[in-house]
Amino acid sequence: MAPLYLGLISGTSADAIDAALVAFDGDTPRTVATAATPYEPALRARILDLALGREIASFDRSGELDIEIGLAFAQAAEALIARSGVARTQIRAIGSHGQTLWHRPYATHPFTVQLGDPNVIAEQLGITTVADFRRRDLAAGGQGAPLAPAFHAACLATPNETRAVLNLGGIANLTLLAPGEPVRGFDTGPASGLMDAWCCEHTGDAFDRDGALAARGCIDDALLARLMADAYFARPAPKSTGRETFQLQWLRERLRGDEAVADVQATLLALTARTVAEALRRECPRATRVIACGGGVHNARLMAALREGFAPATLDTTAAHGIDPDFVEAIAFAWLAREALEGRPGNRPEVTGARGPRILGAIWPA
């Protein structure tokens, strides 16, 4: 039986730990089990307080949080293994991305911080754990992100169609798969993160289900123009971003103050759809298919706006290609763990800007 790999990640929204137990037929994933385990509310609040600068980071606070997140990741993995009925001895390794707290690729000394101590995960589960995937790429002059394009290229590229893979997490990123050309990929800007934050602040709901709040509003063209004037959108790739830039404070600085809540939500949805569509037209106008994944695929209004923006290109989701859209990134880190153990590079220099291919991730033996 093929060895199994378990991928773990919590994304920009820090709402849950996604876990995927998979085997690989070559580079094609065969999913055995998946689960999304919500953070305990108090733990999530501590994560967001630090990530959003609502609390001054300290070694004590960050160190304790590193262990707490590691324990949460271990518990999420343990629950998935128990539910799957798979023996731990069948799992070759865990690939843990951890929880990003800070990502600063444009600092004088670029750095990225993912918490969730892999020592804790390996010790709790007795399974070899691969983690710290991003920092080697940064050390090699890259952005350390996005990393999923290497996996997208391995399992979703085809020689007879120019495709783009669109991940709609808290941040949107595109992978461009043109036959005979190097893989390219980059973060386009906000996806669900800003919409979720605005919706939660004004309605108490964690997200805008099916874009219902946005549907009650109208796009504020003047506000949209102010948002789209941010220099990030015109910056050439390679580029990456995150909550450190696109957060509510960034939005508030561009509001007049008298906008209707639903109008802002509609405008944020339009911001995601237009910045993604413009990036695709600028960087890969020959794309005939866009394959979407991430939580944003469940926002029917966002998907409709994207479908209109991509026309005549076809928009579908990874579900049509045999991969659950909610767990593509977790599967990607399972794949990256396998690549590390096999001694193969996990980055794509054309995507991250690194000086060359690098084996990503450090290994914590069982």
Side-chain angles (χ1 to χ4, degrees):
M1 181 177 179
L4 301 177
Y5 297 83
L6 198 159
L8 296 169
I9 183 172
S10 176
T12 309
S13 59
D15 55 354
I17 300 162
D18 293 335
L21 186 60
V22 295
F24 293 97
D25 178 11
D27 288 314
T28 302
R30 176 176 60 81
T31 304
V32 175
T34 58
T37 303
Y39 276 122
E40 291 292 332
L43 176 55
R44 181 173 189 256
R46 288 194 292 277
I47 291 169
L48 294 180
D49 283 346
L50 284 179
L52 296 174
R54 296 194 294 243
E55 178 183 333
I56 300 300
S58 69
F59 285 117
D60 283 345
R61 190 66 156 161
S62 301
E64 289 184 4
L65 195 58
D66 191 27
I67 304 303
E68 285 188 81
I69 295 171
L71 287 168
F73 270 56
Q75 290 162 6
E78 192 160 33
L80 180 64
I81 294 167
R83 190 158 53 250
S84 73
V86 168
R88 295 189 191 197
T89 54
Q90 293 179 254
I91 303 172
R92 186 183 181 198
I94 293 169
S96 178
H97 171 269
Q99 176 68 62
T100 297
L101 265 288
W102 303 281
H103 182 64
R104 303 289 192 270
Y106 305 109
T108 302
H109 299 288
F111 68 94
T112 187
V113 176
Q114 286 74 43
L115 298 187
D117 187 355
N119 294 284
V120 170
I121 299 171
E123 189 66 26
Q124 291 285 311
L125 294 169
I127 300 172
T128 294
T129 300
V130 186
D132 194 11
F133 288 97
R134 298 192 183 275
R135 292 197 296 171
R136 181 58 188 274
D137 186 88
L138 271 167
Q143 300 245 332
L147 296 183
F151 171 67
H152 297 158
C155 69
L156 290 169
T158 180
N160 55 13
E161 186 175 52
T162 298
R163 294 176 166 181
V165 181
L166 170 62
N167 178 53
L168 293 167
I171 296 295
N173 48 66
L174 278 170
T175 301
L176 308 178
L177 304 173
E181 298 180 11
V183 176
R184 292 182 294 144
F186 53 92
D187 292 343
T188 64
S192 301
L194 271 176
M195 288 188 283
D196 291 351
W198 182 258
C199 181
C200 184
E201 180 173 80
H202 292 279
T203 71
D205 295 330
F207 60 94
D208 185 11
R209 188 177 298 277
D210 283 330
L213 176 60
R216 295 200 296 271
C218 297
I219 297 170
D220 182 329
D221 290 324
L223 173 60
L224 181 59
R226 292 195 296 275
L227 298 178
M228 292 187 67
D230 189 284
Y232 180 82
F233 300 119
R235 181 178 293 161
K239 62 179 181 177
S240 59
T241 189
R243 191 189 290 275
E244 70 279 356
T245 298
F246 294 110
Q247 55 175 288
L248 283 179
Q249 183 58 36
W250 176 87
L251 172 62
R252 291 189 187 105
E253 290 169 357
R254 290 156 176 80
L255 295 175
R256 293 189 311 272
D258 59 350
E259 293 90 350
V261 169
D263 289 351
V264 173
Q265 189 75 0
T267 305
L268 290 174
L269 188 149
L271 174 69
T272 295
R274 293 192 191 181
T275 51
V276 171
E278 286 188 4
L280 184 67
R281 283 194 296 271
R282 181 176 64 247
E283 300 291 339
C284 194
R286 295 183 290 110
T288 57
R289 181 179 304 275
V290 180
I291 305 169
C293 59
V297 303
H298 303 295
N299 185 326
R301 192 167 184 85
L302 175 60
M303 291 294 282
L306 288 165
R307 189 168 285 110
E308 180 180 350
F310 293 150
T314 300
L315 174 65
D316 59 18
T317 77
T318 55
H321 304 267
I323 307 174
D324 188 329
D326 290 321
F327 294 96
V328 172
E329 288 202 306
I331 294 169
F333 281 92
W335 181 85
L336 283 165
R338 186 193 71 166
E339 297 304 281
L341 292 178
E342 294 295 334
R344 294 191 290 258
N347 67 337
R348 288 295 185 116
E350 304 89 348
V351 172
T352 65
R355 287 184 288 272
R358 297 291 187 271
I359 298 170
L360 303 183
I363 299 169
W364 282 258

